Amino acid sequence: MNQPIALTDPAALARNRARACDDALFLQRTARGEIEDRLGMVNKAFQAPAIVAAFPRVWRDRIDGAKIVPETETLTISPGEHDMVIHSLGLHWANDPVGQLIQCRRSLRPDGLLLATAFGGQTLHELRSCLAEAEIAETGGLSPRVAPMGEVRDLGALLQRAGLALPVADAVKLSVQYKSMWHLMRDVRAMGEANVLATRLRTPTRRSVLTKAAEIYAQTFPNDTGGIVATFELIVLTGWAPDESQQKPLRPGSAQARLADALRTDETSLPD
């Protein structure tokens, strides 16, 4: 049987993350803040939390008693070990994102909470479109540069595929200002998020491609101060390990009152 083609080059990903600068990890800290905000709205105390994190230093000492788990293809968490698992902003580089969520789900006790953050499909759409336009114009071809990132509905569906109950997915968009495309690309590298696709070009991109992309970017996506704007979209996923104590939807046809009565209107039957 043929093995599935890997999306990500794990060795390159590890190198990039090892070179990441603390000052550039603002998106990791923003994702952490979104998770902490949602935890503040949960009326439940967690005694055995785990955090799957590519950058453990971002989470150090943030949640009492949390086990920090390296973000690897096979997570070092055992079935039923935790009552809460956080997966922090790394699903876009996972070769099997559903498998990551399934592993988190299996490690949860009944009624345990999963919180995950991931980059959404609008992330760096400006940079992607400018690089594509420039590369086609300069070389007549197009090479893979950015990891595929799902829309909020697609990522929310992953929770159900992983067997989680009460799934919720919402999006947070961030507009970040840069002096130029060059400054943005330097920041992306400093975040540890440079291209590690297994099918990426292994030779440097032509200077003419990058120069043209920078010109297109400055013309198409300017900000008010002579620089550019870059979009980052964070998707926050919430789901619970199934438990009998959880709310369940009513059976179809079990309503005790008519919608027309609640709306104080007449009900009109449609013709067959």
Side-chain angles (χ1 to χ4, degrees):
M1 185 174 61
N2 293 332
Q3 293 293 323
I5 298 174
L7 170 72
T8 299
D9 178 347
L13 179 61
R15 286 196 303 269
N16 285 356
R17 286 175 168 174
R19 296 167 181 165
C21 303
D22 282 350
D23 291 344
L25 297 180
F26 67 93
L27 291 174
Q28 294 284 340
R29 289 189 287 270
T30 300
R32 183 190 67 195
E34 292 294 330
I35 288 176
E36 290 175 335
D37 286 347
R38 285 157 179 78
L39 276 177
M41 295 184 284
V42 176
N43 186 24
K44 182 175 180 176
F46 297 99
Q47 305 301 322
I51 304 171
V52 180
F55 299 98
R57 57 190 182 273
V58 172
W59 283 97
R60 193 168 291 125
D61 300 326
R62 300 297 298 194
I63 297 179
D64 291 341
K67 174 183 177 181
I68 306 295
V69 179
E71 188 190 289
T72 53
E73 293 295 326
T74 301
L75 301 176
T76 55
I77 45 181
S78 302
E81 184 180 4
H82 301 287
D83 56 4
M84 178 180 70
V85 175
I86 294 168
H87 200 297
S88 179
L89 204 58
L91 289 174
H92 57 293
W93 287 127
N95 282 316
D96 183 9
V98 177
Q100 290 281 300
L101 296 179
I102 289 174
Q103 291 180 73
C104 293
R105 155 71 185 89
R106 288 175 177 169
S107 76
L108 287 172
R109 301 167 185 171
D111 202 35
L113 173 64
L114 171 68
L115 282 162
T117 50
F119 282 123
Q122 293 301 304
T123 298
L124 294 179
H125 70 88
E126 304 95 344
L127 178 62
R128 284 182 284 162
S129 65
C130 293
L131 283 172
E133 183 178 343
E135 188 171 18
I136 291 171
E138 292 294 311
T139 71
L142 190 61
S143 57
R145 296 183 178 277
V146 180
M149 291 169 280
E151 301 299 329
V152 62
R153 179 180 298 181
D154 300 325
L155 292 170
L158 298 185
L159 294 171
Q160 293 178 305
R161 289 181 61 186
L164 290 151
L166 308 174
V168 176
D170 59 285
V172 178
K173 283 189 180 180
L174 307 172
S175 291
V176 183
Q177 313 299 314
Y178 287 96
K179 291 182 179 179
S180 69
M181 188 194 80
W182 306 103
H183 291 82
L184 167 59
M185 293 180 67
R186 184 176 62 190
D187 219 13
V188 169
R189 286 193 295 272
M191 296 174 194
E193 295 291 345
N195 187 2
V196 294
L197 291 173
T199 55
R200 71 192 184 280
L201 288 177
R202 302 306 173 103
T203 55
T205 300
R206 293 184 191 178
R207 182 74 179 184
S208 61
V209 172
L210 296 176
T211 301
K212 187 169 186 63
E215 294 172 356
I216 295 170
Y217 206 137
Q219 294 168 4
T220 310
F221 302 105
N223 63 16
D224 295 333
T225 59
I228 61 167
V229 63
T231 299
F232 296 93
E233 183 181 33
L234 300 181
I235 308 296
V236 185
L237 305 175
T238 307
W240 296 82
D243 185 70
E244 287 300 319
S245 66
Q246 293 167 352
Q247 295 178 343
K248 295 177 177 59
L250 297 173
R251 297 189 312 276
S254 62
Q256 301 298 310
R258 297 189 316 144
L259 179 60
D261 294 338
L263 298 176
R264 297 181 181 179
T265 186
D266 294 330
E267 182 178 1
T268 303
S269 299
L270 296 174
D272 294 334

